[in-house]
């Protein structure tokens, strides 16, 4: 169970106690820059990006600090110091992880301590959170018998099938040297397929499908040791997903280790998270403000919806300089734009929650591989997806909070941040362009500028040469500035 000593972890006699094996941080020395050869998000095989660390402070809040005022904040400078299985270290090496990122320095000792403790972690994209929770998962597996290899021991939940499949890729690469590891994906099946019993040690999936599989006994949950929620604020805040996550947790062993990670944690969700993961250690990245550096934010004035479409078509040549994602409000408009553009001879693909699972997998795989360069989607791809070639994001419709009968349309700040974060990944430069088609959209754009205390530059569509010049110059710049993020 969750409190047992996992067989994959060396015993204390081999490496000393956890306290002995972990060095305290040297506060007198400035932390080194992380080498650019680490990766997080999607592995290289799936077209992922380099990990990039801006300067920030990691703040740790230990759940039992009050009980023990002398409890030291430990930090780790080398993966080897954690006493983890050498085969997992081999996997880390294969992913080009040379030393822990700042979030990993503090998170890993807390995650790997025994008996296991819950953790609530807030960290921006590209800081190594996926690798941190995957390393913990792999370290807690018992793969000593064929029976245990076929028994789910860790469950990782994500809001979309695309993010779930991306996490599977990270588990596969990091765990490739572990004998007997099997990874199952619990995402909605195509309507004509029959689900079979999940015989694997790690399950990655979406909440509704996992709940269904446990209830139908397709997935056995009584040996689970670790539960991870990625994009936890989205998982616990959304009405449907939040209810499903609570139900799933109710079907799991009571002593399971709960790990929550997200880039953003609004106050009301954070309060809820502390109930979902009781007595948790907490890690936050202290930022002066939310980071949108490295992304050139622009907007275009359009007279109406038809003008938005004409503008998009004119932008097509620039959209294919790298790869681009076009975010729209509804599935209907995604399909409509795709149909029109294809009819006019442009190559585009669309991905929404309304299409069959295997077709969604095929579309995102082609986009990752560069076979499709322009992807039209809804908010289904706004979070967590890492494709390094994405150089432009179009907000065809500005993200807004759905409030029936609301007087004034309200911009969705978190979704805007997550959407534009699909480009400019980990230190690269990206461009985001928002289309403004009426007074209400103009007001929402202003709300976004005020919230992030940033300026979104207007570009004049009357002079397309100038538009092309601005965008091409930004995309072709290899890095934003030498002092990015400092």
């Amino acid at each position: 169970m969750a409190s047992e000593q996992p067989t994959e972890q060396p015993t204390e006699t081999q490496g000393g106690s956890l306290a002995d094996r972990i060095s305290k941080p040297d506060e007198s020395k400035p932390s080194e820059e992380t080498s650019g050869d680490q990766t997080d998000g999607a592995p290289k095989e799936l077209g992922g990006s380099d990990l990039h660390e801006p300067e920030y402070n990691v703040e740790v809040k230990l759940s039992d600090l009050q009980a023990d005022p002398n409890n030291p904040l430990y930090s780790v400078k080398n993966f080897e110091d954690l006493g983890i299985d050498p085969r997992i270290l081999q996997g880390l090496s294969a992913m080009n992880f040379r030393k822990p990122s700042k979030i990993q320095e503090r998170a890993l000792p807390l995650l790997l301590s025994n008996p296991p403790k819950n953790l609530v972690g807030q960290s921006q994209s590209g800081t190594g959170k996926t690798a941190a929770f995957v390393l913990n998962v792999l370290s807690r597996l018992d793969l000593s018998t064929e029976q245990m290899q076929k028994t789910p021991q860790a469950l990782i939940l994500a809001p979309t099938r695309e993010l779930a499949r991306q996490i599977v890729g990270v588990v596969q690469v990091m765990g490739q040297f572990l004998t007997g590891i099997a990874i199952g994906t619990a995402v909605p099946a195509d309507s004509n397929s029959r689900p079979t019993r999940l015989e694997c040690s790690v399950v990655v999936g979406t909440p509704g499908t996992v709940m269904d599989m446990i209830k139908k006994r397709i997935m056995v949950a009584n040996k689970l040791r670790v539960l991870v929620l990625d994009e936890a604020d989205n998982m616990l805040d959304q009405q449907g997903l939040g209810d499903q996550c609570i139900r799933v947790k109710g079907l799991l062993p009571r002593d399971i280790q709960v790990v929550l990670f997200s880039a953003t944690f609004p106050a009301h969700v954070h309060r809820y998270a502390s109930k979902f993961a009781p007595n948790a250690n907490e890690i936050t990245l202290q930022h002066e403000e939310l980071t949108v550096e490295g992304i050139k934010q622009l907007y275009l004035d359009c007279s109406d919806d038809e003008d938005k479409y004409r503008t998009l078509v004119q932008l097509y040549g620039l959209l294919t300089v790298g790869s681009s994602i076009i975010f729209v409000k509804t599935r209907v408009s995604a399909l409509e734009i795709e149909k029109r553009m294809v009819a006019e001879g442009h190559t585009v693909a669309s991905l929404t929650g309304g299409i069959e699972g295997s077709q969604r997998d095929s579309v995102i795989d082609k986009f990752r591989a560069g076979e499709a360069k322009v992807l039209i989607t809804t908010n289904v791809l706004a979070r967590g997806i890492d494709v390094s070639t994405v150089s432009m994001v179009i907000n065809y419709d500005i993200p807004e909070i759905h409030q029936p009968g609301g007087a004034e349309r309200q911009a969705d700040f978190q979704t805007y941040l997550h959407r534009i974060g699909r480009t400019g990944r980990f230190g690269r430069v990206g461009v985001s362009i928002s289309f403004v088609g009426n007074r209400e959209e103009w007001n929402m754009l202003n709300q976004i500028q005020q919230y992030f205390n940033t300026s979104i530059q207007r570009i004049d569509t009357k002079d397309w040469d100038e538009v092309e010049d601005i965008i091409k110059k930004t995309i072709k710049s290899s890095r934003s500035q030498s002092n990015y993020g400092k």
Side-chain angles (χ1 to χ4, degrees), residues 257-274:
Q257 181 189 28
V258 182
V259 178
L260 309 180
F261 265 116
S262 185
T264 49
F265 261 120
H268 69 287
V269 181
H270 189 272
R271 285 193 296 273
Y272 190 46
S274 59

Side-chain angles (χ1 to χ4, degrees), residues 375-424:
L375 187 61
I376 304 164
T377 187
T378 51
N379 285 336
V380 74
L381 281 194
R383 284 174 170 262
I385 297 301
D386 173 27
V387 179
S388 65
T389 55
V390 174
S391 54
M392 200 181 326
V393 165
I394 303 283
N395 287 307
Y396 191 88
D397 296 309
I398 289 174
E400 64 181 292
I401 294 167
H402 180 63
Q403 33 182 25
E408 183 188 17
R409 288 167 72 184
Q410 176 62 49
D412 185 339
F413 307 126
Q414 308 297 342
T415 297
Y416 177 83
L417 185 69
H418 282 285
R419 275 186 184 184
I420 71 169
R422 297 315 98 216
T423 185

